[in-house]
Amino acid sequence: MKKYLLALLVDNRPGVLTHVSGLISRRAFNIESIAAGYTEEEDVTRINIVVSVNNELELDQVVNQLNKLIDIIKIVNLTKFDPIQRELVMIKVKASPATRTDIMNIVEIFRAKIVDINRETMVIELTGEQSKIDALCNVLKDHEIIEIARTGAIALSRGPIPAKRL
Amino acid sequence: MNGAEAIIESLKREKVDLVFGYPGGAVLTLYDAVYKMKFPHILTRHEQGAVHAADGYARITGKVGVCFATSGPGATNLITGIATAYMDSIPLVCITGQVGTSLIGKDSFQEADMSGITTPITKHNYLVKRVEDLPRVLKEAFFIASTGRPGPVVIDVAKDVFAAELEYEYPESVELKGYTGLFLGDSDEIEAASQAMQMSRKPVIFVGGGVVLADMADEIRSFVKKTGIPVVSSLMGMGVMPSKDGCYLGMVGMHGTYTANMAVMQSDLLIGIGVRFDDRVTGIVEQFAPKAKKIHFDVDAAEINKNVVVDYRVCGDIRRTLPIFCKKVLRIKQDWRSHLLPWRAYLDKMKERYPLTYDAKDGEILAQHVIEMVSDYAKDDAIIVTDVGQHQMWTAQFYNFRHSRSFLTSGGLGTMGYGLPAAIGAKLAQPHRQVILFTGDGSLMMNCQELATAADNDIEVKIVLLNNGVLGMVSQWQRMFYGERYSQSQLKTKLDFIKLADAMGVKGMRVTEEDELDTAIHRMLATEGTVLLEVVVPPKENVLPMVAAGKPLNEMVLGAEE
């Protein structure tokens, strides 16, 4: 299975997320993550999808099927353009006075941030590529993770050209 | 002008001349506008009847079919019909009432989320909560439904929107950022595909519903006449080639002809046009047309390489791409016909050796024979409609199709109960043409309430009911693959179809003896009004030949002769 990052520029209208997610589940496509948000254009939403497919033909199917949705303006396979990828994670972890220093060291190494702290727990925030986030989650396993919230990947292409003109 | 009147006015602007539907609480204002503006409307006896009738209307005319239904159960009763239209790419606009805007999402009385429910089975859908959006939404809906690969569009309108006042202005054009409706095709793709023809000695053209929808049958016929390339068809492509044409090999697939299937399996170049390589066509897909390079013409890019990986794609509207392709191919060789002579002679011999056959025992009337007889007596331009099951396959096999866009059947979804309402829609669309429905005792009961619609509105449909007392196709599979365990497929019934027809205001006739059949068919066709001709046929007849599911096309169970 290979992962691809797609940027979907869609009309910001009611129902558009239903249409996209409905199509993905109905066609049994494998989605690793999906993240949506406003863009530089008022009526355009950008949906970032990471799909997992066996081959290029399968990827074409995903793109062509999504392209048929009327509210999709454009789909770009950003993976082709060596994009900058980021994901945000927040991790709530057990942190007693005894383990605090140890955790802070880990945070330091990963260049993460502590955004909340109390006598029992901490919340750590990290932005980065998926692999880095996976690594932090893995290391923190020694310290009883209470909960994790991840955004899923978003991405931009390098250079001056925006996705809508790619 | 209120929202309801704006809808009717917009339908007029879209040149809609007939709507099918069923009123209810949420659409009272809409129906008030129908009344006041005297808009032509046919009241069916079930919403499913309305949507299938609109579908039949659309298939025959090529125009967008329109139906109305109320919120909740009214709207959900449309679902089967919407899915039927979606699978066969039929342009529909379905306008459903929704509960009032303030009640949406509260599980209100007769509320169902139509946008959510129909997302997988529509080309697009809308929920309209602001009256000022109505004209734009209607304009877009008709545009989307009818352009590119056609399909159904649902417009769900909140109850209060029908009554709200607006400044009506119908947009001249649509502005959709992600959909132009233009599918021009790529000249390099056409060139590559036509070059592929150069080396072929055993080409086969495979036509499907896309050719019918694009009205390109004449182009295909003239191309075939000039080149002599043999043609096979999917169920949806029936009528693109005349059944009796020398180059035509018949239907391909599970119940296709021996020759059509063998031609595909032995071909060195398969030219698929407006087809989607359905599993009923390909048999086991890995072994489909193994020797052939494949060309695929389709307007929908997502169809290319979906089921069968092809060597040459020509993505675009075949109304544009096909004529260019044909012209290029004709330029490659002057003498296509003589070039293909060995291939044609081989297939002709096969056609002669393995015709479609059936073998009636004494005293039995076989459905296949009935269909052949009706085919002989029907008018040349008759519209043929079927339901789903054995009779559908026999119609595809034994009816002598003469024209494109004249055969209505639920191919993709396989909807039992489709036939009668679709026939009603077709007859209303083109009242001057004879409409003949072949149906079974299973299928007819699924929407038999529409007999009343036909009778009450004097819609003349000739119904040939092939009554075998069983669910024929289910029984056939149980006979062949489930050790003759006929689970729930035997309709041991007290039902009297003649009385049923009579009760609904339809004239009924029953035939049980072979020697009455000829007269009965004549009488059915000659009698004015809707007539139901019930022919009693034996319960254990199989549709043959057959490729079992999961087998390649060249492993066929043949007919009576083998």
Side-chain angles (χ1 to χ4, degrees), chain A residues 85-100:
Chain A
Q85 283 190 52
R86 290 293 180 271
E87 182 173 351
L88 172 72
V89 68
M90 290 196 283
I91 307 167
K92 188 177 287 178
V93 67
K94 257 254 159 74
S96 63
T99 57
R100 222 175 258 158

Side-chain angles (χ1 to χ4, degrees), chain A residues 11 13 19 26 61 68 71-72, chain B residues 120 124-125 177-178 300 302:
Chain A
D11 248 328
R13 283 196 191 159
H19 293 164
R26 161 167 72 102
Q61 256 304 292
K68 277 165 69 173
D71 15 43
I72 289 197
Chain B
H124 196 49
N125 62 40
K177 281 193 225 119
D300 179 356

